[in-house]
Amino acid sequence: MMSGNYTSIDNQNVTGSVPSVGDPPPHVVVKFNDSNLQTFPPAGAQGKIAGASRPPRDADDTFGKPASGSDEPQQSGWFRTFTIAAYRPYFDVDTSDVLERITDSLFPFRGSFSEKTANNPDLYGPFWICTTLIFVAASIGTFVTYLAHKLQKKEWDYDINLMTWSAGLFYGYVTVVPLALYIVLKYFSAPSGFVQLLCLYGYSLFIFIPALCLSVIPQEIFRWVITGIAGLMSATFLALNLRNHIKSAGESWFLIVAGIFLLQLALALVLKLYLFTITV
């Protein structure tokens, strides 16, 4: 179409020209499904470790159950006794828990140790107390014997039997005596947990660690005093913490408590005669 000297060009694409801008595309709405990701850190952290310091779940459950997709069956009954998972709860204690229980063992007249550990007896403290006693007894005994020989200018030989005897004495005592007491209490219809008894007897031996260290003082009368004090404190600690429970055994409760007390004094006497006595 012509109008004067101007030419009208219809809307069309011309080679080399820029196409006209069309209508903007419609808005695209993107919808996301609800995420199933867990909130980190977990809100329901359990156990002694919580918050940011909690280990990864796979690290925390390493011994608790078989790995995903594993054909390993869950142990039950007596077979579970021979698995690590069966003993994990008895080592679930903090340093503060162990220190508090050691402090209670040094104040035997409180008699509240059994109540505090009734719901959470541990084997961590008793194990390391016995192990420490073995090495302290062997090292202190060897050192004192060595000094005594050197002061008298006599030949000295290391006695390896001191280590093996100490291991047999402490590990055997803290295992066999609680087991025997467990059977006796069960017979008199006053049963107590075996792990609870192991825990109680283990912590009762802590007082002998400083007593052994003080035995380096070369005074026989002083060693007898130290042994007597340690034995009385340890025996009193056991008797007072077991007395209230054993009273349910009837009229025989006094004999049982007296036996526990005297047996602990006998242990102290054995330590004095074998470990606290230096012969040249």
Side-chain angles (χ1 to χ4, degrees):
M1 176 179 180
M2 300 291 297
S3 176
N5 295 327
Y6 299 97
T7 303
S8 175
I9 302 177
D10 296 332
N11 290 336
Q12 60 182 343
N13 293 332
V14 180
T15 303
S17 65
V18 179
S20 60
V21 178
D23 295 334
H27 293 288
V28 178
V29 179
V30 180
K31 295 183 178 180
F32 294 94
N33 294 328
D34 293 337
S35 175
N36 291 326
L37 296 177
Q38 294 180 343
T39 303
F40 186 85
Q46 299 177 352
K48 300 291 182 182
I49 304 174
S53 61
R54 182 178 176 87
R57 183 172 179 82
D58 56 346
D60 191 50
D61 291 343
T62 301
F63 303 106
K65 56 185 179 181
S68 177
S70 173
D71 295 332
E72 180 184 352
Q74 290 281 2
Q75 299 293 342
S76 60
W78 282 101
F79 292 102
R80 190 174 184 274
T81 307
F82 303 99
T83 63
I84 296 177
Y87 301 96
R88 287 182 61 197
Y90 305 123
F91 291 84
D92 185 23
V93 288
D94 293 331
T95 303
S96 59
D97 296 330
V98 176
L99 292 177
E100 181 181 358
R101 295 175 182 188
I102 289 175
T103 303
D104 288 338
S105 71
L106 297 177
F107 295 91
F109 295 100
R110 293 177 178 175
S112 59
F113 183 89
S114 294
E115 297 178 1
K116 292 181 179 179
T117 60
N119 296 325
N120 186 29
D122 75 282
L123 298 179
Y124 180 87
F127 172 78
W128 283 112
I129 288 173
C130 289
T131 303
T132 304
L133 267 172
I134 293 169
F135 284 98
V136 169
S139 59
I140 294 295
T142 301
F143 176 71
V144 173
T145 305
Y146 171 79
L147 287 181
H149 280 75
K150 288 301 180 181
L151 290 176
Q152 297 188 17
K153 297 181 179 179
K154 293 184 178 181
E155 185 179 355
W156 173 80
D157 294 322
Y158 175 71
D159 186 9
I160 188 62
N161 293 325
L162 191 62
M163 174 71 76
T164 56
W165 189 90
S166 300
L169 174 65
F170 292 117
Y171 282 145
Y173 183 86
V174 84
T175 303
V176 175
V177 175
L179 178 60
L181 181 59
Y182 172 79
I183 296 173
V184 170
L185 293 179
K186 200 171 185 64
Y187 175 79
F188 284 99
S189 301
S192 178
F194 180 53
V195 176
Q196 177 73 11
L197 294 175
L198 289 175
C199 178
L200 184 64
Y201 268 85
Y203 281 100
S204 72
L205 298 180
F206 178 81
I207 187 61
F208 292 108
I209 296 179
L212 282 170
C213 294
L214 291 174
S215 68
V216 299
I217 299 176
Q219 294 293 332
E220 190 66 14
I221 185 64
F222 179 78
R223 290 171 179 163
W224 274 108
V225 171
I226 290 298
T227 305
I229 293 175
L232 286 173
M233 290 180 64
S234 181
T236 303
F237 172 75
L238 285 175
L240 292 183
N241 279 282
L242 289 172
R243 180 186 58 182
N244 292 332
H245 176 76
I246 297 178
K247 279 184 177 180
S248 60
E251 298 178 355
S252 301
W253 74 269
F254 182 79
L255 294 178
I256 299 175
V257 173
I260 293 170
F261 187 87
L262 294 176
L263 191 59
Q264 198 74 357
L265 289 181
L267 172 66
L269 181 62
V270 171
L271 293 178
K272 170 63 185 74
L273 296 177
Y274 192 83
L275 297 177
F276 289 26
T277 301
I278 307 302
T279 57
V280 179

